[in-house]
Amino acid sequence: MISEQIEEDARRLDDILADLNKEILNRRKARDEFHEKAALLADKRDKLQKKARTLSAEAAVYKERRDDANITARECRAKRDEWNDRVARMRASGGLGDIGEAKMQANQWHQKAEKASRTSDTAHEKMHQLYEEADRLRAEAQICHQQYLDCKKAADIEHTKYIEAVRRIDTVKNSLPE
């Protein structure tokens, strides 16, 4: 009867240890899966951030082009205005001077100003598109980062439960008689 009790206790102990070993394997597998997913998310996040930085750098080039074109347009408008003022002064003085030449110069500076303005508008639109795309990528990277943090936290929880199961096995084994 005592030997039957010992055998029954041994079977229960084997069952307990088997259950704990199964839990350990499941916890380790879950932890490792969370780590793998976290690594993939970190890689995706890093690639998105790199692409966003590249787009922002490209947008900065277009911003510089836009700013340069705006300066050129302002300078051309100032020259046009100077020639228009000459035309007005020539008319006010009774037509003294070459009004036709002055009008032609004013028109040429006006054409240059319009061209610079179009260049500025084109560069501004491209810059705006690139900044918007960079912002969208950064937002997507932020979502990946949050998911990465969530996976790391879940992996830590699984690891803690894994350690707890290992300690329970040690406790069971240490409570056995020598």
Side-chain angles (χ1 to χ4, degrees):
M1 182 166 221
I2 292 179
S3 69
E4 288 176 12
Q5 185 62 40
I6 291 173
E7 285 180 22
E8 177 62 28
D9 288 347
R11 278 194 295 276
R12 280 196 315 221
L13 184 58
D14 284 344
D15 290 343
I16 291 170
L17 290 174
D19 288 344
L20 287 172
N21 278 320
K22 185 190 276 187
E23 181 181 351
I24 286 172
L25 290 174
N26 289 338
R27 297 293 182 188
R28 186 177 349 169
K29 180 181 176 190
R31 177 200 63 198
D32 293 347
E33 287 172 356
F34 281 121
H35 278 147
E36 286 175 24
K37 186 174 181 185
L40 292 173
L41 287 164
D43 185 54
K44 182 178 180 182
R45 174 203 61 207
D46 294 346
K47 286 178 181 175
L48 289 167
Q49 289 173 335
K50 182 179 178 182
K51 178 70 173 166
R53 283 191 300 275
T54 300
L55 291 174
S56 290
E58 190 178 342
V61 170
Y62 280 97
K63 182 180 187 291
E64 189 174 326
R65 286 181 192 168
R66 180 205 62 189
D67 293 347
D68 289 346
N70 282 337
I71 290 169
T72 300
R74 276 193 296 279
E75 290 170 352
C76 290
R77 283 191 294 272
K79 293 283 190 183
R80 176 202 62 201
D81 293 346
E82 286 175 22
W83 282 103
N84 281 332
D85 287 346
R86 284 184 189 177
V87 168
R89 283 194 311 270
M90 286 179 199
R91 283 190 177 135
S93 66
L96 297 174
D98 190 351
I99 292 178
E101 174 65 21
K103 284 182 177 182
M104 184 184 75
Q105 287 292 330
N107 187 47
Q108 285 178 352
W109 285 109
H110 178 73
Q111 297 301 319
K112 289 177 183 179
E114 283 185 338
K115 182 179 178 190
S117 289
R118 286 190 302 274
T119 299
S120 172
D121 290 346
T122 300
H124 179 78
E125 183 61 32
K126 184 66 175 171
M127 175 199 74
H128 185 68
Q129 290 170 353
L130 291 167
Y131 278 138
E132 280 185 344
E133 179 65 9
D135 288 345
R136 187 190 66 73
L137 292 173
R138 281 189 197 94
E140 192 176 337
Q142 184 58 39
I143 291 168
C144 285
H145 182 65
Q146 187 57 53
Q147 291 172 340
Y148 162 83
L149 293 175
D150 293 344
C151 283
K152 292 295 277 181
K153 184 177 180 180
D156 289 346
I157 290 169
E158 288 299 326
H159 183 70
T160 299
K161 291 178 180 178
Y162 164 82
I163 295 299
E164 289 170 359
V166 168
R167 287 186 179 143
R168 286 196 311 263
I169 285 179
D170 288 345
T171 300
V172 169
K173 287 182 177 178
N174 289 337
S175 67
L176 294 175
E178 296 284 325

